[in-house]
């Protein structure tokens, strides 16, 4: 969603370049306008433009303001269309207060009516603009800027992260509730941002702010307090991400780079956690017996993470533990029964997904144990849940999740084995074989990357009317994920189905212009092959995703995207890599905005 960046330094210049770097580093969150405000001795000087950051840079090239302090923003429209006027920062009537905001002010209609009645004039359609005007009211009544900021925040309903500067002080005031905000520490210079990659070029020392924290930042100092003004101490952590990890590294797109990073990401996910020789699971914070009191497991997640959760539930069900996966947005409003023996697992790459956080909070309030499976140490999910399991995938910038899906699935496979052993008192018969297959995944993924024919297949079917993806059992979620990737970056119509459901309605859509991509794992292949024959009988071309050992499959397929032979429970990770590459090349051939698909954002922080 929207991205916030602030820079606070003691020098008289430098803010503009560093704010622009931060804005560019936040592009992956999705945006339709950008702007910044610089304090350069007088009131905040505001520059903002609808469209790409390059348009903002063009304006600044003609008149670059000096100043060591400023705030910036990339906007993803919620209230009002993308226009110059609706872009952030927003100011009050006097121009002395400038604010950037991520989230939604739910009571802005009420506040706006009140302010208009008091004579305030508004220049935008946004909910954000009420904030600087509320601050203006408080300042006019004699409050100092910090008090005015605190009183204003108290009046807001909804979720938000807010940063503010005024003409009166060389200070940035900021707070968060339900939207992410982190503080970067670089000696006497400081940064505030929606996500760590925004300032990773300048520092890797980070303070993760909790909901309700109010931070006051000035050169050489910062302090964090509760909404009531009570001082709190937040640990400075060093993130293990290198700035180059968040760059393209010579690839044309972040997505392609991150697809190719999967062997390394999977090695990090697996490192020290499983021993194929003995069949032991060694999750660092979950020794044997950690889940002995669990009766059932519920996964909550959204989008790609939901598909990973479906795989996780299958792992557990196969291990004898009742498990289901729920869309977090539905769980938050129609929660199934839970009790103290229910484990609710939130699967969220960023750890900041609003729907997933809401579902986890509801589960926790109902007495369930909660566990976050996330990529971000210090994220809201990691801090609010009872426990956290980190997938260790490294930074992912492309909006379309790739390496994080693979790392989530592998993490959930390890977690599932740990939980199943604790609950049932034994290990599955083929545990060693499954762990061996997991350990071979990095090398197998590399083989796919080296020898894939995905671009040729994408070229062959680039003019199709629609694309269907089918799978059975543990790879039904892979079919769903393959369709999601294809549609979100190619903008072509794609649907995923359980293979057996093809004949229960979707077959009506199958024509010679609708290729069917079928995932085979070596388990129940004959049934999936029957579904393939049904599609071919209607003239549809079929692309199989299968190993070379599955010769019967190749006989019936028009094309084969080959994966190395492996355990059926692990084959889905490999099949997914081929489908990621297929989606990427299809989008590239169509000249789509692969890293920033239209209307989408990397981290969805509103419900």
């Amino acid at each position: 969603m929207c991205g916030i960046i602030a820079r606070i330094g003691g020098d008289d210049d430098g803010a503009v370049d560093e704010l622009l770097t931060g804005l560019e580093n936040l592009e992956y969150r999705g945006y339709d306008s950008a702007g910044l405000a610089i304090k350069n001795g007088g009131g905040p000087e505001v520059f903002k433009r609808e469209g790409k950051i390059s348009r903002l840079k063009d304006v600044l090239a003609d008149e670059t303001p000096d100043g060591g302090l400023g705030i910036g923003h990339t906007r993803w429209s919620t209230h009002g269309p993308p226009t110059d006027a609706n872009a952030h920062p927003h100011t009050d009537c006097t121009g002395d207060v400038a604010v950037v905001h991520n989230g939604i002010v739910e009571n802005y209609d009420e506040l706006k009516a009140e302010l208009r009645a008091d004579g305030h004039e508004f220049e935008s359609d946004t909910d954000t603009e009420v904030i600087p005007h509320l601050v203006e009211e408080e300042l006019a009544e004699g409050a100092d800027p910090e008090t005015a900021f605190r009183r204003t925040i108290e009046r807001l309903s909804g979720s938000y992260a807010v940063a503010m500067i005024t003409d009166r002080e060389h200070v940035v005031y900021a707070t968060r509730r339900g939207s992410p905000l982190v503080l970067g520490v670089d000696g006497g210079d400081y940064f505030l941002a929606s996500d760590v990659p925004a300032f990773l070029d300048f520092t890797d020392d980070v303070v993760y702010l909790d909901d309700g924290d109010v931070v006051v930042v000035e050169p050489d100092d910062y302090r964090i307090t509760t909404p009531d003004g009570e001082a709190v101490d937040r640990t400075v952590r060093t993130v293990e991400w290198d700035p180059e990890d968040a760059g393209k590294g010579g690839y044309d797109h972040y997505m392609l780079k991150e697809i190719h990073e999967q062997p390394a990401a999977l090695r990090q996910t697996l490192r020290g956690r499983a021993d194929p020789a003995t069949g032991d699971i060694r999750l660092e914070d979950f020794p044997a017996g950690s889940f002995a009191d669990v009766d059932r497991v519920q996964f909550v997640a959204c989008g790609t993470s939901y598909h990973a959760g479906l795989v996780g539930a299958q792992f557990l069900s196969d291990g004898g533990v009742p498990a289901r996966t729920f869309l977090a947005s539905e769980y938050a409003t129609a929660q199934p029964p839970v009790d103290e023996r229910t484990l609710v697992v939130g699967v969220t790459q960023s750890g900041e997904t609003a729907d997933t956080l809401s579902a986890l909070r509801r589960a926790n309030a109902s007495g369930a144990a909660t566990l976050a499976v996330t990529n971000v140490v210090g994220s809201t999910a990691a801090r609010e849940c009872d426990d956290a399991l980190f997938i260790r995938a490294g930074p992912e910038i492309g909006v379309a999740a790739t390496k994080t899906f693979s790392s989530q699935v592998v993490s959930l496979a390890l977690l599932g084995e740990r939980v199943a052993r604790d609950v049932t008192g034994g290990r599955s018969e083929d545990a060693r074989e499954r762990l061996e297959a997991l350990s071979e995944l990095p090398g197998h993924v590399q083989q796919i990357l080296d020898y894939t024919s995905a671009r040729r297949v994408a070229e062959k079917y680039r003019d199709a009317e629609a694309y269907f993806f089918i799978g059975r059992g543990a790879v039904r979620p892979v079919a769903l994920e393959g369709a999601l990737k294809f549609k979100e970056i190619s903008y072509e119509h794609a649907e995923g189905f359980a293979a057996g459901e093809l004949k229960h309605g979707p077959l009506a859509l199958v024509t010679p212009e609708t290729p069917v991509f079928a995932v085979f794992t070596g388990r129940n292949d004959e049934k999936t092959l029957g579904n393939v024959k049904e599609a071919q009988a209607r003239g549809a071309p079929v692309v199989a995703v299968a190993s070379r050992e599955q010769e019967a499959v190749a006989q019936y397929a028009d094309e084969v995207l080959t994966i190395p032979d492996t355990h059926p429970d692990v084959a889905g990770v490999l099949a997914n890599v081929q489908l990621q590459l297929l989606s990427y090349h299809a989008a590239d051939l169509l000249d789509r905005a692969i890293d920033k698909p239209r209307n989408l954002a990397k981290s969805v922080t509103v419900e």
Side-chain angles (χ1 to χ4, degrees):
M1 306 297 284
C2 305
I4 288 174
I5 181 69
R7 190 266 196 184
I8 308 94
D11 52 351
D12 293 330
D13 55 23
V16 170
D17 288 342
E18 293 184 4
L19 288 171
L20 286 172
T21 297
L23 291 177
E24 290 174 329
N25 290 346
L26 287 170
E27 284 186 301
Y28 68 94
R29 294 175 66 88
Y31 74 104
D32 49 45
S33 60
L36 53 81
I38 301 295
K39 189 177 187 314
N40 56 356
E45 193 170 358
V46 176
F47 304 82
K48 55 184 183 177
R49 285 293 182 273
E50 177 271 331
K52 301 299 183 184
I53 292 172
S54 57
R55 293 196 64 215
L56 176 64
K57 294 176 76 171
D58 290 342
V59 173
L60 291 166
D62 296 330
E63 44 175 329
T64 303
D66 294 328
L69 179 149
I71 54 178
H73 191 268
T74 54
R75 178 176 186 253
W76 193 83
S77 297
T78 53
H79 294 77
T83 63
D84 289 354
N86 286 335
H88 295 215
H90 289 288
T91 58
D92 65 329
C93 294
T94 67
D96 293 340
V97 179
V99 165
V100 292
H101 161 237
N102 180 18
I104 293 178
V105 179
E106 295 176 352
N107 60 335
Y108 87 102
D109 276 333
E110 170 193 333
L111 295 171
K112 194 170 187 177
E114 175 187 318
L115 289 162
R116 276 181 166 157
D118 289 340
H120 290 264
E121 296 182 359
F122 290 81
E123 298 181 356
S124 79
D125 305 311
T126 69
D127 55 334
T128 302
E129 197 179 357
V130 300
I131 301 175
H133 287 278
L134 288 170
V135 172
E136 178 189 359
E137 287 267 289
E138 296 291 343
L139 293 173
E141 292 179 7
D144 60 83
E146 181 175 346
T147 301
F149 182 73
R150 289 181 182 276
R151 289 176 179 172
T152 294
I153 296 304
E154 287 176 359
R155 299 196 62 189
L156 305 182
S157 298
S159 64
Y160 51 76
V162 180
M164 180 189 84
I165 59 176
T166 74
D167 69 326
R168 301 191 182 188
E169 300 172 318
H170 203 71
V171 178
V172 173
Y173 300 94
T175 190
R176 61 158 290 181
R177 180 198 292 167
S179 289
L181 194 66
V182 294
L183 173 69
V185 180
D186 181 27
D189 292 342
Y190 301 95
F191 300 87
L192 285 160
S194 299
D195 207 352
V196 173
F199 51 68
L200 202 54
D201 290 67
F202 312 112
T203 182
D204 56 5
D205 289 333
V206 178
V207 178
Y208 293 97
L209 302 175
D210 283 354
D211 267 4
D213 282 355
V214 176
V215 57
V216 180
V217 192
E218 51 193 316
D220 299 318
D221 190 25
Y222 71 91
R223 53 189 170 87
I224 303 171
T225 63
T226 66
D228 296 329
E230 182 180 347
V232 294
D233 184 34
R234 302 283 181 238
T235 303
V236 179
R237 305 175 185 271
T238 301
V239 296
E240 297 181 357
W241 296 350
D242 188 281
E244 292 185 4
D245 292 341
K248 289 183 182 176
Y251 289 89
D252 290 337
H253 299 93
Y254 284 113
M255 182 181 179
L256 185 60
K257 172 178 177 278
E258 288 155 5
I259 289 172
H260 280 261
E261 286 176 341
Q262 285 177 107
L266 289 169
R267 289 189 187 96
Q268 291 171 183
T269 299
L270 289 161
R271 187 180 67 246
R273 289 176 163 175
D275 186 347
T278 62
D280 289 342
I281 300 292
R282 302 166 184 163
L283 298 181
E284 51 271 25
D285 295 322
F286 306 102
S290 296
F291 302 101
D293 294 333
V294 171
D295 281 345
R296 59 179 178 265
V297 178
Q298 297 173 352
F299 293 93
V300 292
C302 305
T304 289
S305 295
Y306 171 72
H307 298 151
L310 290 172
V311 181
Q314 186 73 51
F315 288 148
L316 277 167
S317 295
D318 290 346
V321 179
R324 286 188 62 189
T325 302
F326 299 85
L327 288 166
S329 56
E330 294 296 309
Y331 189 97
T333 56
Q335 183 190 43
V338 300
D339 57 27
E340 68 277 1
R341 296 182 70 87
T342 305
L343 175 65
V344 179
V345 180
V347 187
T348 162
Q349 182 276 136
S350 66
E352 303 292 349
T353 308
D355 289 320
T356 304
L357 290 173
S358 180
L360 288 167
R361 288 163 183 159
R362 180 161 181 178
N364 189 266
S366 300
T370 54
L371 168 64
V373 176
T374 183
N375 195 36
V376 183
V377 177
S379 62
T380 301
R383 287 182 284 116
E384 290 191 3
C385 284
D386 298 317
D387 292 293
L389 176 64
F390 298 103
I391 68 171
R392 303 174 177 171
E396 184 177 70
I397 305 302
V399 169
T402 51
K403 65 178 181 177
T404 53
F405 176 81
S406 298
S407 292
Q408 283 173 338
V409 169
V410 171
S411 297
L412 292 175
L414 298 174
L415 177 66
E417 187 68 27
R418 171 78 281 145
V419 173
R421 292 182 186 186
D422 288 351
V423 173
T424 66
R427 63 178 63 177
S428 57
E429 293 182 1
D430 61 348
R432 289 191 183 184
E433 290 82 357
R434 188 184 294 110
L435 293 181
E436 181 65 34
L438 288 171
S439 71
E440 293 173 346
L441 268 178
H444 284 166
V445 171
Q446 190 61 57
Q447 289 179 38
I448 292 172
L449 297 173
D450 291 342
Y451 301 110
T452 182
S453 57
R455 187 174 184 86
R456 180 181 60 76
V457 172
E459 176 72 49
K460 183 174 181 178
Y461 299 111
R462 66 179 296 177
D463 296 323
E465 294 178 352
Y467 303 81
F468 298 138
F469 297 77
I470 62 172
R472 186 179 295 272
V475 290
R476 179 180 74 91
V478 173
L480 300 179
E481 174 62 14
L484 176 62
K485 281 291 158 292
F486 202 94
K487 73 180 75 173
E488 70 180 333
I489 63 168
S490 76
Y491 310 157
E492 297 296 305
H493 181 72
E495 294 294 337
F497 306 102
E501 286 298 297
L502 191 64
K503 58 184 175 293
H504 294 289
L507 200 58
L509 301 174
V510 169
T511 74
E513 302 304 319
T514 57
V516 175
F517 296 83
V519 183
F520 294 86
T521 66
R523 180 182 291 155
N524 298 315
D525 283 354
E526 66 285 349
K527 292 185 178 181
T528 304
L529 194 56
N531 305 127
V532 162
K533 294 175 183 177
E534 291 169 343
Q536 284 186 319
R538 277 75 181 174
V542 171
V543 179
V545 186
S547 72
R548 288 191 176 88
E549 283 71 16
Q550 293 160 290
E551 297 177 358
V553 171
Q555 292 176 11
Y556 289 95
D558 297 276
E559 295 282 351
V560 179
L561 292 171
T562 304
I563 62 173
D565 190 42
T566 189
H567 192 286
D569 289 345
V570 177
V573 176
L574 301 175
N576 184 66
V577 174
Q578 284 284 26
L579 295 180
Q580 289 172 353
L581 289 162
L582 173 79
S583 299
Y584 171 81
H585 289 300
D588 191 42
L589 289 165
L590 293 167
D591 197 29
R592 305 303 194 206
I594 291 174
D595 288 329
K596 292 171 280 186
R598 66 188 181 201
N599 304 330
L600 301 179
K602 181 67 174 174
S603 179
V604 182
T605 55
V606 295
E607 295 183 65

